[in-house]
Amino acid sequence: MSNVSHPAPAPLGGPLVTPTTLILAALAAIALIILAIRFFFGLGAVTNINDGYPFGIWIAYDVVIGSAFACGGYTMALLVYIFNKGEYHPMVRPALLASLFGYTLAGASVIFDLGRYWNFWHIYWPGYAQVNSVMFEVAVCITAYIIVMWIEFAPAFLEKFGLKDVKRKLSKVLFFVIALGVLLPSMHQSSLGSLLVVFGYQVHPLWQTILLPLLYLMTAVLIGFAIVIFEACLSSSGFKRPLELHLLGKLSHLMIWVLAAYLAVRLADLVVRGALGSMFEASIEAIMFWIEMALFIAPLAILAKPSARRNPAKLFVAALCLMLAGFLLRINSFLVGYETGPGWHYFPSVPEIMVSIGMIALEVLGYIVLVRYLPILPGKIEPTAVAAQK
């Protein structure tokens, strides 16, 4: 029965050059050209960041949001290896691949935003490292996690090239790597919230709370659930594959319980801090807060009935709402709700936006290429295997 339920991963096959991959490659190429200009002529040549808003969209989206959107692998590792939910194992490798690209590009994006990018190695050199800095902890943990994910993903390459002995030896120590793969994201996702706590009064009361580390960690887990459902739906549609609806339904059930807990903590925090009045101000911050909360609440309404959790369209919409909610929480707290003082304003330039779009395109392109070339998605179940179970 297990062979039918959990077919071994297999390369998807098919053409690598298609209209979709060509468009994605073109968008990625545009981003690389803009980045070349940035590295030759400085940040001011392509960005609108300034002394008042040093964290532009390249940090807020490419790093803070991008790393959260790459938490599918983290969430699946929690379920399968920590909570022993082996039924979700077929989802691990696809989720890990998406996380691998997301985190690798997020790590690379930090260099885009460094004025003196040639000094990035100072983070890791004992003589320069600021060990009491929240940013130091985030930088080191993200770097270590990228390395950990490449090791976790190595069996896919080893299977492709027939290196069974190497894979067997790696498997003996993989439990330690997986443990790090759960610990490190827990640390740096919460620390991204701690970074905002340090900003103090410069962050609007609707988002400035000592609970930001917990809120960021909880929403990272939620986004991890959502991104797995989102990618599974897109993969099923794009690659014409059956949708593992029974697993996605169970996953969404876990997701809405965590979501309910998050909303309870979020609202209780606003009450305790006396920040409820800020929700009703005539301001862009209040409007954005209500949109953010509506997107968090929507999946609860959409998936309230068990039958809805077996509906692919409703699962997809609920996952998309939750991803947008996590997106807005981070945009609101890092940009919309951030006020450094009078006279400073920020809105991303077209080149900044194109670089972010290019990074997304590169991630999707890499995913398409590798699932066609490497054993990542579950292979097809042979008719003989199905017949043997009857």
Side-chain angles (χ1 to χ4, degrees):
M1 179 65 72
S2 59
N3 290 334
V4 175
S5 301
H6 305 293
L12 190 62
L16 296 180
V17 180
T18 65
T20 299
T21 57
L22 288 175
I23 292 171
L24 293 171
L27 291 171
I30 292 171
L32 291 175
I33 292 170
I34 295 171
L35 288 174
I37 296 172
R38 173 265 175 274
F39 285 123
F40 278 106
F41 299 103
L43 285 165
V46 295
T47 75
N48 285 341
I49 62 174
N50 49 61
D51 290 343
Y53 287 87
F55 284 178
I57 195 173
W58 287 354
I59 291 295
Y61 177 77
D62 297 352
V63 178
V64 180
I65 296 172
S67 65
F69 276 22
C71 278
Y74 164 58
T75 305
M76 288 297 100
L78 275 173
L79 283 179
V80 174
Y81 301 112
I82 303 302
F83 294 106
N84 199 30
K85 301 292 184 180
E87 60 190 315
Y88 296 105
H89 199 272
M91 295 180 170
V92 170
R93 200 171 279 187
L96 181 60
L97 175 61
S99 296
L100 184 62
F101 277 113
Y103 263 101
T104 301
L105 293 176
S109 297
V110 174
I111 299 177
F112 305 162
D113 209 56
L114 293 177
R116 299 179 181 179
Y117 57 86
W118 53 87
N119 287 334
F120 79 93
W121 58 274
H122 287 184
I123 297 170
Y124 312 102
W125 193 256
Y128 291 106
Q130 301 293 323
V131 295
N132 294 323
S133 167
V134 176
M135 294 183 71
F136 170 80
E137 192 268 346
V138 170
V140 171
C141 281
I142 287 181
T143 304
Y145 186 48
I146 292 170
I147 296 171
V148 163
M149 281 193 294
W150 278 103
I151 297 173
E152 284 184 281
F153 192 72
F157 289 100
L158 298 176
E159 289 174 19
K160 176 65 178 180
F161 298 108
L163 301 174
K164 296 181 180 179
D165 290 339
V166 179
K167 181 188 173 185
R168 186 164 54 251
K169 292 178 181 178
L170 177 62
S171 298
K172 293 179 180 179
V173 297
L174 206 55
F175 72 94
F176 176 72
V177 177
I178 291 171
L180 284 176
V182 172
L183 174 64
L184 292 170
S186 300
M187 293 172 64
H188 65 249
Q189 287 297 335
S190 61
S191 292
L192 288 172
S194 300
L195 188 60
L196 285 174
V197 174
V198 176
F199 288 4
Y201 66 89
Q202 291 179 306
V203 177
H204 193 277
L206 287 172
W207 295 282
Q208 181 54 283
T209 168
I210 196 67
L211 293 184
L212 273 170
L214 175 62
L215 297 179
Y216 264 56
L217 180 59
M218 291 182 75
T219 52
V221 173
L222 284 170
I223 293 171
F225 283 129
I227 203 73
V228 169
I229 295 172
F230 179 81
E231 289 172 351
C233 292
L234 286 184
S235 175
S236 173
S237 175
F239 297 133
K240 303 296 187 294
R241 295 173 55 84
L243 188 64
E244 295 171 319
L245 202 53
H246 64 294
L247 290 180
L248 296 183
K250 292 181 179 180
L251 196 65
S252 67
H253 185 64
L254 293 173
M255 181 178 74
I256 61 176
W257 276 105
V258 178
L259 177 55
Y262 166 78
L263 289 171
V265 172
R266 183 80 163 98
L267 293 174
D269 172 68
L270 290 170
V271 172
V272 171
R273 290 190 295 110
L276 283 178
S278 300
M279 298 164 54
F280 305 102
E281 296 175 350
S283 65
I284 185 64
E285 290 86 359
I287 293 171
M288 294 299 289
F289 171 82
W290 280 108
I291 296 173
E292 173 194 318
M293 291 302 290
L295 287 168
F296 271 120
I297 294 170
L300 289 178
I302 294 171
L303 301 178
K305 296 181 179 180
S307 59
R309 298 193 287 272
R310 296 189 293 271
N311 185 310
K314 290 185 177 181
L315 284 171
F316 180 82
V317 172
L320 181 60
C321 286
L322 195 46
M323 290 165 59
L324 290 174
F327 172 93
L328 276 186
L329 170 65
R330 286 154 174 77
I331 287 291
N332 286 341
S333 50
F334 267 89
L335 294 178
V336 176
Y338 176 69
E339 181 58 62
T340 192
W344 297 108
H345 305 282
Y346 170 79
F347 191 83
S349 66
V350 172
E352 283 180 274
I353 295 172
M354 289 306 300
V355 167
S356 295
I357 291 173
M359 292 299 101
I360 297 170
L362 184 59
E363 181 179 351
V364 176
L365 178 62
Y367 185 93
I368 292 173
V369 170
L370 288 190
V371 297
R372 291 193 181 281
Y373 184 69
L374 296 176
I376 296 169
L377 296 175
K380 294 181 179 180
I381 303 173
E382 297 297 332
T384 53
V386 176
Q389 306 301 320
K390 296 182 178 180

